[in-house]
Amino acid sequence: MRSRPPLDRSLPLRERKKLRTRRALADAALRLFAEKGFDGTTLEEVAEEAEVSKSTFFRFFPAKEAAAVEAETELWTAYLDELARRDLAGPVLGELHQTLAVAIAGLDPDWDERFVATRLLVARESALLKYVEHNRARIRNQVVASLASKLGLEPEDLRLPVLAELATTAFTLAARPWVYQDGRGGRQALLERHREAIKAIPGSLELTAPPRDANRDRPDRRG
């Protein structure tokens, strides 16, 4: 894995130190889990690899799973933050698409590589897959709550979770081939795939099958 880009020097020194430690733990977890497997790596080994104590690990992450999927967490945290400050106008699905696109574009330069490595690891480790799925469900619930507040709707309005699910699923479908192609084309290729996935949603809802042959469905009364 390439070296990390320098931290934002505008941040206070204390915040830069905390962010540096968090990144070191996440990198150590991703590296060790890829080499030894998730179940084959202890939390103590991750902390030792990052040259911190076990108690320090728990100041940054609640569990091994969280450290392993830090690239996922960065993405969805940026998505929620961007949605919170965005003034919505026009079709909401398009707004969610733009919100996620802006969030992706603003992530650290090395995020692409770490996200690809994370998703490949998750595909091999059932414990991590369950953790990611649970976390994405939580993210969707937060998106629903944010949309309800911005649009003046009840959180129980079924349109809101449908929209949140569609936006998340479109990204998942866009990212999957990009990940298995090792991030070919860079972040711009991912954003373009995401745009195409969003564009495909209305057409997919309008797909219709040809009418059944009435004669074929009629019971055979011969004999």
Side-chain angles (χ1 to χ4, degrees), residues 145-195:
S146 182
L147 291 178
S149 175
K150 289 175 178 290
L151 300 174
L153 298 173
E154 294 297 326
E156 293 76 19
D157 189 317
L158 192 55
R159 293 172 295 178
L160 300 180
V162 168
L163 282 169
E165 187 74 38
L166 284 173
T168 303
T169 300
F171 173 77
T172 300
L173 293 174
R176 187 174 297 143
W178 183 76
V179 165
Y180 283 107
Q181 292 169 7
D182 200 27
R184 189 171 65 196
R187 197 172 307 185
Q188 191 57 44
L190 174 61
L191 290 170
E192 179 60 23
R193 286 180 182 275
H194 184 212
R195 185 184 68 82

Side-chain angles (χ1 to χ4, degrees), residues 40-201:
T41 305
T42 66
L43 188 152
E44 288 80 5
E45 288 174 319
V46 173
E48 182 178 355
E49 179 76 4
E51 299 182 338
V52 300
S53 67
K54 184 176 176 181
S55 61
T56 296
F57 177 95
F58 282 117
R59 285 205 293 271
F60 292 94
F61 298 105
K64 285 198 308 178
E65 291 88 344
V69 300
E70 175 70 354
E72 279 261 345
T73 300
E74 290 173 12
L75 167 63
W76 300 115
T77 298
Y79 177 45
L80 290 173
D81 288 347
E82 178 62 24
L83 181 59
R85 59 177 168 260
R86 189 177 184 89
D87 292 326
L88 303 184
V92 177
L93 181 60
E95 285 291 300
L96 291 178
H97 165 225
Q98 289 301 318
T99 298
L100 187 50
V102 169
I104 293 171
L107 294 168
D108 285 346
D110 70 334
W111 176 83
D112 307 45
E113 182 183 8
R114 293 185 295 111
F115 184 75
V116 168
T118 298
R119 292 307 306 176
L120 292 175
L121 177 64
V122 168
R124 299 194 303 268
E125 300 284 354
S126 59
L128 291 180
L129 181 59
K130 291 178 181 178
Y131 186 88
V132 166
E133 289 176 344
H134 176 76
N135 191 50
R136 286 198 180 184
R138 180 181 61 80
I139 296 299
R140 286 191 293 269
N141 290 340
Q142 290 180 257
V143 170
V144 167
S146 182
L147 291 178
S149 175
K150 289 175 178 290
L151 300 174
L153 298 173
E154 294 297 326
E156 293 76 19
D157 189 317
L158 192 55
R159 293 172 295 178
L160 300 180
V162 168
L163 282 169
E165 187 74 38
L166 284 173
T168 303
T169 300
F171 173 77
T172 300
L173 293 174
R176 187 174 297 143
W178 183 76
V179 165
Y180 283 107
Q181 292 169 7
D182 200 27
R184 189 171 65 196
R187 197 172 307 185
Q188 191 57 44
L190 174 61
L191 290 170
E192 179 60 23
R193 286 180 182 275
H194 184 212
R195 185 184 68 82
E196 292 174 355
I198 291 289
K199 282 181 62 178
I201 291 175

Side-chain angles (χ1 to χ4, degrees), residues 198-208:
I198 291 289
K199 282 181 62 178
I201 291 175
S204 66
L205 297 177
E206 294 172 1
L207 281 177
T208 57

